[in-house]
Amino acid sequence: MAQYARTKGSIALITLTNPPVNALSAAVRKGITEAVARAFKDTRVKAVVLCGENGKFCGGADIREFAKAMSGPPLVPMIHAIEAGEKPVVAAIEEMALGGGLELALGCHYRVAHAKARLGLPEVTLGLLPAAGGTQRLPRLTGIPAALDLITTGRHISAQEALKLGIVDRVTEGNAVEAAVELALSVVGRPLAPRRLSNHATPLPADLDGVFEEVLVQVKRRARGAMAPVACAKAVRAAAELPYSRGLECERELMNTLFTSGQARALQYCFFAQRAAGKWSLPNGARWDNSRPRAVHTAGVIGLGTMGRGIAVCLVKAGISVVAVETEEKQLDSGRRAVRGMLERDAKRRGVTAPLHMITFTLSMQQLRDVDLVIEAVFEDMALKKSVFAELSRVCRPNALLCTNTSGLDVDELASVTDRPPLVVGMHFFAPAHVMKLLEVICGPRSSPETVATAMTLGKRLGKVSVAVGNCPGFVGNRMLKLYLDQAHFLLEEGASPEQVDQALEEFGFALGIFKVADLSGLDIGWRVRKAAGLIGPDVDPKFPSRHRQGRRYCPLPDLLCEQGRLGQKSGRGWYLYDSAGGKEARPDPAISSFLQEYRLRYGISARRITEQEVVERCVFVLANEGFRILEDGMAAAPEDIDMVYVFGYGWPRHRGGPMFHAAQVGLATVLQRLEFYHRQNPDIPHLQPSTLLRRLVGARSPPMQQWKQHIRSINSQL
Ligand code: 3H9
């Protein structure tokens, strides 16, 4: 797992060999340890170069081994032996040096990177810290502020930035291994002590306390309740205050706490679940690895509202030429201005020229005749979407793919008005579409494997996490969201305030509480959906709207708010109060408090004290409960897919893995018992009734998630 060769007579070339990313598995660590010892012993060898097979240096520790008992030589002494050696060791960094890979490179005496290489210490994203000396060597090299930034965010940096920070000694456009060999030859005989980072004193900023205070505030705000960023900052502080060996002890202790925490397990689960989501399959046997995607060079976007604008920006940024269509000059103009503005701001941030030439704005659908694929993003109205799809059938090339950005309408019904149902698929983006990572790819019963493969691959090219889901109302994400929102509304009826519910959810780790999210999205969106679903209509008494509709409990509170013109941020008032229309700062509104009191009085509801535990359990367990139903219905292929929808599309705290992972962590028996309890209290809320699959899993003694599907009685996979 580490090949040894001699080159140019006196250089030992050690190649890490563990595809696909040369992760530091037990076998690789053993290979490196033995190869380095051999090179140090061989008198013909004057210097050593470390590199990775297939043009990749190293992706870090082997994450797959974290769940197993530790075996093989540990990293810390291995890296220490390299650094302490009496022959210069040079790391040749091609493509990547991440995590333990960069720590290994920091233990070498010199580092050469290819210009396209990415470097970083992303352990924090796995709930860990760089525990192979990274938290102690990096600050000694770059100083505290840069090390804190890299270690607490885990961001990857370019070779050029690494050069500026002093992390690498040279950057080459040519062959990094050859450049490293040249460097190694040139430094033979030079003193090595100054090159050993563990010997260095850490350069200290003038206001050490101030720097750490500021970082702690930042990390706590960014990752609510996540332990790893805080531990990372503490480990770096040790590098500032303690000698290297004691700092290393501190690093180890902090790592031990993190390693065994539920958060690290959740984040590592997310790492693999994110990658598993790309490996889709359909009931007809078509899969990610046997279906070929089409090449997409040009795309059409119909509708330049919020969603269409973001989608157009993503496509252009991915190098795809776009034809953007609107129906009226005014909308076209404001869409054009918005899209250009977003592209220009993005280009300025990255120091490049905005690719404005790649997008054409038009009022004519005819301009779509040559595109490879169209994404429709018009108003969420079935009749309107059908007319667009019928028109697209007439205008587009017969083999062009037709995609809809609907957030919940029947994709197959839309396909039925076209001349090409197999080429129709849902591509559900999340607002803002150029920022949010999730893409739900809705596979209609007639979508062809090639169509699904193209949509999934296009999503990846746009930098999204694409998750294949079945065609049911709301698909996966919004189907679950509806029930989560319902619980939040019921809690208001029963005695909670919007800020109390939001605070409990934010403490749990959600990026934003549900009422803040509702205000941000606009309360009228749900209002329109409820009207379309027949839940609001002329038969509803406007003075005393019923709290039971379509056979179950219904909360009219959000409708009453919309009737008052409180539509959320856009109107300056919603569940919260804002400084002005479009304001962002949410303040509790005494008017909402009186509104809720009057409402409860009118319906004879006596407000009760609602605990944080109840808020979280009802909101979060109802999500998982519906997730089990989605699995039973065959609308998601695996619990991991449901979790990725929530992590990347709905602000679910990543360090809690996702609603399904969280249910498994809490214990399925506990989830079942709490749902039964809440359902007994609220028999008119059917979604609190535990799902059949949850009951069956508890009956089977809560098997691991990978086995859940075996307990579905008849799998009716739509995927
Ligand atoms: C660490 O180093 C701790 C240390 O401080 C030591 C403490 C003592 N291990 O992402 P991709 C697999 S923690 C095992 O699709 P890309 C991945 O699962 C580690 N497997 O490709 C996938 O497998 P499959 C710190 C790994 O080109 C395949 O490789 N390092 C590892 O889009 C391809 O992956 C990190 O956090 C790994 N370390 O992106 C880096 N890495 O084909 C984590 C990847 O079966 N890795 N795999 O699905 C990454 O960020 C990306 O994978 C990378 C490549 C940028 C490297």
Side-chain angles (χ1 to χ4, degrees), residues 51 55 130 133 138 184 216 247-248 301 357 366 370 390 418-419 455 470 519 562 597 605 681 686:
C51 63
L138 189 68
L216 280 178
L248 211 55
V301 174
H357 61 284
Q366 291 301 324
D370 293 326
T418 70
D419 59 349
D519 273 1
C562 288
Q597 269 173 23
I605 305 168
Q681 288 189 328

PDB file of all heavy atoms in Angstrom, residues 51 55 130 133 138 184 216 247-248 301 357 366 370 390 418-419 455 470 519 562 597 605 681 686:
ATOM      1  N   CYS A  51       4.592  10.709  -2.506  1.00  0.00           N
ATOM      2  CA  CYS A  51       3.547  11.129  -3.442  1.00  0.00           C
ATOM      3  C   CYS A  51       2.417  10.103  -3.410  1.00  0.00           C
ATOM      4  O   CYS A  51       2.503   9.116  -2.682  1.00  0.00           O
ATOM      5  CB  CYS A  51       4.108  11.269  -4.857  1.00  0.00           C
ATOM      6  SG  CYS A  51       4.700   9.721  -5.522  1.00  0.00           S
ATOM      7  N   GLY A  55      -2.000  10.413  -9.469  1.00  0.00           N
ATOM      8  CA  GLY A  55      -2.018  11.871  -9.442  1.00  0.00           C
ATOM      9  C   GLY A  55      -2.817  12.465  -8.307  1.00  0.00           C
ATOM     10  O   GLY A  55      -3.301  13.589  -8.411  1.00  0.00           O
ATOM     11  N   PRO A 130      -8.169  17.823  13.434  1.00  0.00           N
ATOM     12  CA  PRO A 130      -6.965  17.232  12.843  1.00  0.00           C
ATOM     13  C   PRO A 130      -6.067  16.723  13.969  1.00  0.00           C
ATOM     14  O   PRO A 130      -5.374  17.518  14.599  1.00  0.00           O
ATOM     15  CB  PRO A 130      -6.315  18.393  12.089  1.00  0.00           C
ATOM     16  CG  PRO A 130      -7.345  19.473  12.047  1.00  0.00           C
ATOM     17  CD  PRO A 130      -8.235  19.275  13.220  1.00  0.00           C
ATOM     18  N   GLY A 133      -1.451  15.851  14.743  1.00  0.00           N
ATOM     19  CA  GLY A 133      -0.528  16.968  14.923  1.00  0.00           C
ATOM     20  C   GLY A 133      -0.927  18.211  14.141  1.00  0.00           C
ATOM     21  O   GLY A 133      -0.285  19.257  14.270  1.00  0.00           O
ATOM     22  N   LEU A 138       0.143  23.334  12.148  1.00  0.00           N
ATOM     23  CA  LEU A 138      -0.319  24.400  11.240  1.00  0.00           C
ATOM     24  C   LEU A 138      -0.192  25.803  11.869  1.00  0.00           C
ATOM     25  O   LEU A 138       0.341  26.713  11.230  1.00  0.00           O
ATOM     26  CB  LEU A 138      -1.756  24.136  10.762  1.00  0.00           C
ATOM     27  CG  LEU A 138      -2.198  25.083   9.652  1.00  0.00           C
ATOM     28  CD1 LEU A 138      -1.434  24.830   8.353  1.00  0.00           C
ATOM     29  CD2 LEU A 138      -3.701  24.975   9.387  1.00  0.00           C
ATOM     30  N   ALA A 184      14.130  18.068  -3.724  1.00  0.00           N
ATOM     31  CA  ALA A 184      14.795  17.158  -2.781  1.00  0.00           C
ATOM     32  C   ALA A 184      16.292  17.121  -3.069  1.00  0.00           C
ATOM     33  O   ALA A 184      17.122  17.207  -2.144  1.00  0.00           O
ATOM     34  CB  ALA A 184      14.177  15.761  -2.886  1.00  0.00           C
ATOM     35  N   LEU A 216     -14.785  32.043  18.712  1.00  0.00           N
ATOM     36  CA  LEU A 216     -15.790  31.227  19.403  1.00  0.00           C
ATOM     37  C   LEU A 216     -17.197  31.746  19.119  1.00  0.00           C
ATOM     38  O   LEU A 216     -18.129  30.965  18.920  1.00  0.00           O
ATOM     39  CB  LEU A 216     -15.514  31.180  20.904  1.00  0.00           C
ATOM     40  CG  LEU A 216     -14.414  30.187  21.281  1.00  0.00           C
ATOM     41  CD1 LEU A 216     -14.140  30.218  22.774  1.00  0.00           C
ATOM     42  CD2 LEU A 216     -14.756  28.767  20.854  1.00  0.00           C
ATOM     43  N   GLY A 247       0.721  20.377  23.786  1.00  0.00           N
ATOM     44  CA  GLY A 247      -0.364  20.723  22.850  1.00  0.00           C
ATOM     45  C   GLY A 247      -0.903  19.467  22.177  1.00  0.00           C
ATOM     46  O   GLY A 247      -2.113  19.305  21.985  1.00  0.00           O
ATOM     47  N   LEU A 248       0.022  18.578  21.857  1.00  0.00           N
ATOM     48  CA  LEU A 248      -0.373  17.310  21.215  1.00  0.00           C
ATOM     49  C   LEU A 248      -1.276  16.480  22.141  1.00  0.00           C
ATOM     50  O   LEU A 248      -2.240  15.862  21.703  1.00  0.00           O
ATOM     51  CB  LEU A 248       0.896  16.529  20.868  1.00  0.00           C
ATOM     52  CG  LEU A 248       0.866  15.633  19.647  1.00  0.00           C
ATOM     53  CD1 LEU A 248       0.457  16.398  18.400  1.00  0.00           C
ATOM     54  CD2 LEU A 248       2.257  15.011  19.434  1.00  0.00           C
ATOM     55  N   VAL A 301     -34.557  28.080 -19.702  1.00  0.00           N
ATOM     56  CA  VAL A 301     -35.219  28.255 -18.405  1.00  0.00           C
ATOM     57  C   VAL A 301     -36.472  29.067 -18.677  1.00  0.00           C
ATOM     58  O   VAL A 301     -36.400  30.134 -19.293  1.00  0.00           O
ATOM     59  CB  VAL A 301     -34.310  29.002 -17.397  1.00  0.00           C
ATOM     60  CG1 VAL A 301     -35.071  29.299 -16.109  1.00  0.00           C
ATOM     61  CG2 VAL A 301     -33.069  28.183 -17.078  1.00  0.00           C
ATOM     62  N   HIS A 357     -22.139  36.554 -21.574  1.00  0.00           N
ATOM     63  CA  HIS A 357     -22.401  36.172 -22.964  1.00  0.00           C
ATOM     64  C   HIS A 357     -23.080  34.804 -23.061  1.00  0.00           C
ATOM     65  O   HIS A 357     -23.583  34.430 -24.109  1.00  0.00           O
ATOM     66  CB  HIS A 357     -21.078  36.142 -23.743  1.00  0.00           C
ATOM     67  CG  HIS A 357     -20.108  35.130 -23.179  1.00  0.00           C
ATOM     68  ND1 HIS A 357     -19.395  35.364 -22.018  1.00  0.00           N
ATOM     69  CD2 HIS A 357     -19.783  33.887 -23.569  1.00  0.00           C
ATOM     70  CE1 HIS A 357     -18.652  34.296 -21.738  1.00  0.00           C
ATOM     71  NE2 HIS A 357     -18.869  33.383 -22.683  1.00  0.00           N
ATOM     72  N   GLN A 366     -39.898  30.172 -29.166  1.00  0.00           N
ATOM     73  CA  GLN A 366     -39.279  29.610 -30.379  1.00  0.00           C
ATOM     74  C   GLN A 366     -37.757  29.486 -30.231  1.00  0.00           C
ATOM     75  O   GLN A 366     -37.137  28.622 -30.836  1.00  0.00           O
ATOM     76  CB  GLN A 366     -39.577  30.521 -31.590  1.00  0.00           C
ATOM     77  CG  GLN A 366     -41.025  30.529 -32.037  1.00  0.00           C
ATOM     78  CD  GLN A 366     -41.511  29.135 -32.430  1.00  0.00           C
ATOM     79  OE1 GLN A 366     -40.756  28.342 -32.991  1.00  0.00           O
ATOM     80  NE2 GLN A 366     -42.752  28.831 -32.088  1.00  0.00           N
ATOM     81  N   ASP A 370     -33.429  24.741 -30.205  1.00  0.00           N
ATOM     82  CA  ASP A 370     -32.193  23.947 -30.327  1.00  0.00           C
ATOM     83  C   ASP A 370     -31.597  23.504 -28.988  1.00  0.00           C
ATOM     84  O   ASP A 370     -30.517  22.944 -28.964  1.00  0.00           O
ATOM     85  CB  ASP A 370     -31.127  24.771 -31.072  1.00  0.00           C
ATOM     86  CG  ASP A 370     -31.548  24.996 -32.509  1.00  0.00           C
ATOM     87  OD1 ASP A 370     -32.196  24.090 -33.063  1.00  0.00           O
ATOM     88  OD2 ASP A 370     -31.259  26.079 -33.046  1.00  0.00           O
ATOM     89  N   ALA A 390     -47.163  21.636 -23.161  1.00  0.00           N
ATOM     90  CA  ALA A 390     -47.727  21.336 -24.486  1.00  0.00           C
ATOM     91  C   ALA A 390     -46.997  22.175 -25.540  1.00  0.00           C
ATOM     92  O   ALA A 390     -46.609  21.672 -26.600  1.00  0.00           O
ATOM     93  CB  ALA A 390     -49.222  21.641 -24.478  1.00  0.00           C
ATOM     94  N   THR A 418     -47.349  16.027 -23.084  1.00  0.00           N
ATOM     95  CA  THR A 418     -46.246  16.203 -24.033  1.00  0.00           C
ATOM     96  C   THR A 418     -46.232  15.060 -25.049  1.00  0.00           C
ATOM     97  O   THR A 418     -46.909  14.047 -24.864  1.00  0.00           O
ATOM     98  CB  THR A 418     -44.874  16.210 -23.315  1.00  0.00           C
ATOM     99  OG1 THR A 418     -44.616  14.884 -22.839  1.00  0.00           O
ATOM    100  CG2 THR A 418     -44.852  17.167 -22.143  1.00  0.00           C
ATOM    101  N   ASP A 419     -45.403  15.218 -26.065  1.00  0.00           N
ATOM    102  CA  ASP A 419     -45.244  14.140 -27.056  1.00  0.00           C
ATOM    103  C   ASP A 419     -44.117  13.196 -26.649  1.00  0.00           C
ATOM    104  O   ASP A 419     -43.693  12.375 -27.426  1.00  0.00           O
ATOM    105  CB  ASP A 419     -44.941  14.775 -28.431  1.00  0.00           C
ATOM    106  CG  ASP A 419     -43.665  15.633 -28.390  1.00  0.00           C
ATOM    107  OD1 ASP A 419     -43.154  15.902 -27.274  1.00  0.00           O
ATOM    108  OD2 ASP A 419     -43.192  16.035 -29.459  1.00  0.00           O
ATOM    109  N   ALA A 455     -30.615  14.087 -15.519  1.00  0.00           N
ATOM    110  CA  ALA A 455     -30.982  15.053 -14.472  1.00  0.00           C
ATOM    111  C   ALA A 455     -30.067  14.895 -13.253  1.00  0.00           C
ATOM    112  O   ALA A 455     -29.613  15.889 -12.670  1.00  0.00           O
ATOM    113  CB  ALA A 455     -32.443  14.855 -14.076  1.00  0.00           C
ATOM    114  N   GLY A 470     -39.618   9.624  -5.615  1.00  0.00           N
ATOM    115  CA  GLY A 470     -40.792   9.211  -6.389  1.00  0.00           C
ATOM    116  C   GLY A 470     -41.772  10.355  -6.577  1.00  0.00           C
ATOM    117  O   GLY A 470     -41.671  11.413  -5.938  1.00  0.00           O
ATOM    118  N   ASP A 519     -41.881  32.949   7.385  1.00  0.00           N
ATOM    119  CA  ASP A 519     -41.881  34.391   7.070  1.00  0.00           C
ATOM    120  C   ASP A 519     -40.962  34.695   5.889  1.00  0.00           C
ATOM    121  O   ASP A 519     -41.274  35.514   5.029  1.00  0.00           O
ATOM    122  CB  ASP A 519     -41.404  35.208   8.279  1.00  0.00           C
ATOM    123  CG  ASP A 519     -42.557  35.541   9.234  1.00  0.00           C
ATOM    124  OD1 ASP A 519     -43.696  35.129   8.955  1.00  0.00           O
ATOM    125  OD2 ASP A 519     -42.301  36.224  10.254  1.00  0.00           O
ATOM    126  N   CYS A 562     -52.755  35.597   6.913  1.00  0.00           N
ATOM    127  CA  CYS A 562     -52.704  36.056   5.507  1.00  0.00           C
ATOM    128  C   CYS A 562     -53.866  37.019   5.225  1.00  0.00           C
ATOM    129  O   CYS A 562     -53.678  38.015   4.514  1.00  0.00           O
ATOM    130  CB  CYS A 562     -52.778  34.868   4.549  1.00  0.00           C
ATOM    131  SG  CYS A 562     -51.271  33.895   4.543  1.00  0.00           S
ATOM    132  N   GLN A 597     -53.927  34.936  21.850  1.00  0.00           N
ATOM    133  CA  GLN A 597     -54.772  34.867  23.068  1.00  0.00           C
ATOM    134  C   GLN A 597     -56.251  34.957  22.699  1.00  0.00           C
ATOM    135  O   GLN A 597     -57.067  34.171  23.167  1.00  0.00           O
ATOM    136  CB  GLN A 597     -54.413  36.018  23.992  1.00  0.00           C
ATOM    137  CG  GLN A 597     -53.324  35.636  24.975  1.00  0.00           C
ATOM    138  CD  GLN A 597     -52.859  36.855  25.760  1.00  0.00           C
ATOM    139  OE1 GLN A 597     -53.571  37.835  25.883  1.00  0.00           O
ATOM    140  NE2 GLN A 597     -51.647  36.778  26.262  1.00  0.00           N
ATOM    141  N   ILE A 605     -59.954  27.354  24.012  1.00  0.00           N
ATOM    142  CA  ILE A 605     -58.749  26.537  24.261  1.00  0.00           C
ATOM    143  C   ILE A 605     -58.016  27.148  25.443  1.00  0.00           C
ATOM    144  O   ILE A 605     -57.700  28.341  25.417  1.00  0.00           O
ATOM    145  CB  ILE A 605     -57.791  26.570  23.045  1.00  0.00           C
ATOM    146  CG1 ILE A 605     -58.510  26.145  21.769  1.00  0.00           C
ATOM    147  CG2 ILE A 605     -56.538  25.732  23.286  1.00  0.00           C
ATOM    148  CD1 ILE A 605     -57.735  26.424  20.491  1.00  0.00           C
ATOM    149  N   GLN A 681     -52.956  12.014  23.168  1.00  0.00           N
ATOM    150  CA  GLN A 681     -53.394  13.371  23.557  1.00  0.00           C
ATOM    151  C   GLN A 681     -54.122  14.089  22.429  1.00  0.00           C
ATOM    152  O   GLN A 681     -54.912  14.989  22.671  1.00  0.00           O
ATOM    153  CB  GLN A 681     -52.180  14.211  23.947  1.00  0.00           C
ATOM    154  CG  GLN A 681     -51.558  13.816  25.253  1.00  0.00           C
ATOM    155  CD  GLN A 681     -50.507  14.843  25.666  1.00  0.00           C
ATOM    156  OE1 GLN A 681     -49.872  15.439  24.816  1.00  0.00           O
ATOM    157  NE2 GLN A 681     -50.340  15.017  26.959  1.00  0.00           N
ATOM    158  N   PRO A 686     -53.917  12.548  12.686  1.00  0.00           N
ATOM    159  CA  PRO A 686     -53.555  11.190  12.258  1.00  0.00           C
ATOM    160  C   PRO A 686     -52.047  11.005  12.066  1.00  0.00           C
ATOM    161  O   PRO A 686     -51.535   9.896  12.214  1.00  0.00           O
ATOM    162  CB  PRO A 686     -54.293  10.999  10.933  1.00  0.00           C
ATOM    163  CG  PRO A 686     -54.985  12.268  10.625  1.00  0.00           C
ATOM    164  CD  PRO A 686     -54.826  13.218  11.763  1.00  0.00           C
TER     165      PRO A 686
END
